[in-house]
Amino acid sequence: MTNERRVLVHPDKTALGAAVASRFVTKLVDLLAAQPLAHVVLTGGSMGSAVLEHVANNPASTSVDWTRVHFWWGDERWLPRGDAERNETQARAALLDSLEIASGNIHSLPASDEGIELDAAASVYAKELADHATDGALYPRFDITFLGVGPDGHVASLFPERGGVREKDLTVISVRNSPKPPPERLSLTLPVINSSERVWLVLAGADKASALGLTLAGASVNEVPAAGVEGRRSTLFFVDADATAEVPESLTATELFWTGSDSPDAY
């Protein structure tokens, strides 16, 4: 299966969020027409929430049978359940609480006030992944994994020059001394992220331009974790114009970049 790697450029953050939401809804409808369930990995951050808000307000979202969609997270801050900084809390407010789906379809990571330690929490989520896998796999077949990209090139809670980005054996890791607060987190590992059929990275703003340029130029994964992301079927970078400011001209070839108005919908 050929992996498609494309960058889709939109004029601003609002257009970006709306376009990703529209594509997400359309893709879910297509997926659920061909298979019984869809597994989606969500991300946090301002653009992650913005996309979900646009999904909630998209009239076409009523065409999705949300009862057949399972939601997971790529990472989570080690904070109490319901804390406003948790990715889960933000996703619930933006979209999930408005959907009529079973609680068992929402696979949130453990919280710091639930009586377990951080390492044990990683094991709990790893078990939940395995419990929803098939054919002896360690995790479900993810159809779409959303990722944000930090200015330093981190994805999920896999940070540059940290051991987590090099982890090959574990599916979920505990993160301590994160360079971005809060210091303690949980994160999927890169092999799990890259097992997804489609990885959609959504980033906006001039502060992300360096990370995008280095990622597309093939920087070291240890130095720029986003450079190591590769979905099985496709890897799409959804960006606004500001985020392309430091992308070398040699990387803006038409076979790699599309604008929001002419990008194909097959991926």
Side-chain angles (χ1 to χ4, degrees):
M1 183 179 296
T2 301
N3 177 283
E4 297 288 346
R5 192 173 190 234
R6 298 287 184 263
V7 180
L8 291 84
V9 185
H10 298 272
D12 54 45
K13 292 181 180 180
T14 300
L16 172 62
V20 177
S22 179
R23 183 182 290 261
F24 179 52
V25 169
T26 299
K27 181 55 67 177
L28 279 181
V29 171
D30 291 344
L31 289 170
L32 292 173
Q35 59 195 53
L37 298 173
H39 287 271
V40 176
V41 179
L42 299 178
T43 186
S46 59
M47 285 309 305
S49 294
V51 168
L52 296 183
E53 289 173 359
H54 281 289
V55 171
N57 293 321
N58 189 320
S61 66
T62 58
S63 301
V64 177
D65 183 355
W66 295 104
T67 64
R68 295 161 56 201
V69 181
H70 283 252
F71 293 99
W72 303 80
W73 275 266
D75 73 323
E76 186 59 273
R77 297 165 173 85
W78 188 237
L79 296 168
R81 185 76 62 185
D83 189 286
E85 294 301 311
R86 276 179 63 93
N87 293 335
E88 175 202 358
T89 305
Q90 296 168 12
R92 285 184 176 278
L95 173 66
L96 301 185
D97 285 347
S98 69
L99 303 178
E100 294 184 2
I101 59 176
S103 60
N105 285 35
I106 300 177
H107 305 277
S108 58
L109 285 124
S112 64
D113 60 345
E114 294 178 333
I116 58 174
E117 298 299 322
L118 185 62
D119 291 341
S123 297
V124 166
Y125 205 62
K127 182 179 185 303
E128 184 159 3
L129 288 169
D131 287 345
H132 287 80
T134 58
D135 301 325
L138 295 177
Y139 35 80
R141 193 202 71 164
F142 296 117
D143 295 288
I144 300 172
T145 291
F146 284 100
L147 291 174
V149 178
D152 61 353
H154 83 266
V155 292
S157 284
L158 305 176
F159 294 96
E161 307 290 353
R162 303 294 176 103
V165 74
R166 298 185 293 274
E167 177 62 51
K168 303 296 184 184
D169 298 324
L170 299 176
T171 58
V172 184
I173 58 169
S174 54
V175 177
R176 293 180 172 83
N177 299 316
S178 161
K180 180 179 179 182
E184 295 184 325
R185 297 158 173 256
L186 295 164
S187 181
L188 299 185
T189 56
L190 202 54
V192 180
I193 290 170
N194 287 346
S195 76
S196 179
E197 293 293 300
R198 303 159 190 84
V199 178
W200 292 5
L201 300 98
V202 185
L203 56 157
D207 63 327
K208 307 296 180 68
S210 177
L212 178 62
L214 290 169
T215 296
L216 296 176
S220 161
V221 177
N222 189 54
E223 296 176 356
V224 184
V229 172
E230 183 177 51
R232 293 183 64 247
R233 183 183 298 269
S234 62
T235 308
L236 299 186
F237 294 80
F238 297 90
V239 306
D240 70 350
D242 287 344
T244 68
E246 294 185 30
V247 176
E249 186 175 347
S250 61
L251 296 178
T252 59
T254 55
E255 64 267 21
L256 176 66
F257 272 73
W258 285 299
T259 65
S261 60
D262 65 11
S263 59
D265 294 321
Y267 305 102

